[in-house]
Amino acid sequence: MSEPQGTEGSTRRLPVMEPVMEKEPAAGTGPPPDPGPGSGPAGRFWSARRVPAGIVALLLLLVAGAFLYDVVAVRAGRSALGWRRELARQLADRPLDDTWVLVGAGVAAALGLWLLALALTPGLRRVLPMRRTRPDVRAGLHRDAAATVLRDRAMEVAGVQSARVRMRRRKARVRALSHFRELDDVRTDLDGALDDAVRGLGLARPPAVSLRVARPGRKG
């Protein structure tokens, strides 16, 4: 899967806080409280991976159907199809160190490893799990939405001309341009504003903030 795209824009606030939930929680305001006893860990969301599963199922159905049809035809007194006779001959004649045998084995091994990776990894890397306040509710926040919230909070700090946020699972990289005020003062205000914004997201694992403040380059 691809890396998250940077979020860049003006001071306009957008309605981007749209958590993904398995059950609609009770209405409330402010960040979610700390999870109480029995809430359970907020694990990552697992992708259904319907497309890879559908492709594998279709291929297996076609291959198994072809072999089953040929076996039934042979049992009914007909001769085996040419492709199966040729396949059996090739498998019997070709040595194990043949180039095409090694290529086929490599492709099969790569496909097997890919399927194992899909089965053992959660996927949905762009959805950040939120803290669980109830055992029957799981919520997630999209990375782009979280990045937009941090960018808007950064734009509210006096002296910030523009801001760009790259949100990852464990780190948020913030790059801001300041056109007035001292850079140290802007950086201090940004640290406080971004820390509050990260806590307000209500994520189960709040990302560390990497902040960089610079002056805009000269035009021309």
Side-chain angles (χ1 to χ4, degrees), residues 115-153:
L115 293 176
L116 285 176
L118 291 179
L120 298 177
T121 54
L124 294 181
R125 297 176 59 86
R126 301 182 68 85
V127 178
L128 303 174
M130 303 179 71
R131 289 195 299 267
R132 299 186 68 174
T133 58
R134 297 177 55 183
D136 57 343
V137 177
R138 294 186 67 228
L141 184 64
H142 200 276
R143 283 191 194 180
D144 291 342
T148 303
V149 172
L150 297 185
R151 183 207 65 194
D152 288 347
R153 290 296 299 272

Side-chain angles (χ1 to χ4, degrees), residues 94 96-106:
R94 289 183 179 272
L96 294 179
D97 58 351
D98 184 78
T99 302
W100 288 108
V101 174
L102 296 177
V103 170

Side-chain angles (χ1 to χ4, degrees), residues 7-17 144-145 147-157 160-163:
T7 305
E8 201 167 14
S10 62
T11 58
R12 182 166 62 93
R13 187 176 292 277
L14 300 175
V16 295
M17 291 287 290
D144 291 342
T148 303
V149 172
L150 297 185
R151 183 207 65 194
D152 288 347
R153 290 296 299 272
M155 294 296 298
E156 294 176 356
V157 174
V160 176
Q161 182 182 23
S162 63

Side-chain angles (χ1 to χ4, degrees), residues 32-56:
D34 292 334
S39 297
R44 290 178 57 188
F45 290 85
W46 283 73
S47 172
R49 293 192 171 97
R50 296 181 178 87
V51 174
I55 294 176
V56 172

Side-chain angles (χ1 to χ4, degrees), residues 81-102:
L81 296 178
W83 63 268
R84 194 161 73 93
R85 293 197 303 269
E86 180 64 21
L87 178 62
R89 187 184 65 80
Q90 291 289 342
L91 292 177
D93 294 343
R94 289 183 179 272
L96 294 179
D97 58 351
D98 184 78
T99 302
W100 288 108
V101 174
L102 296 177

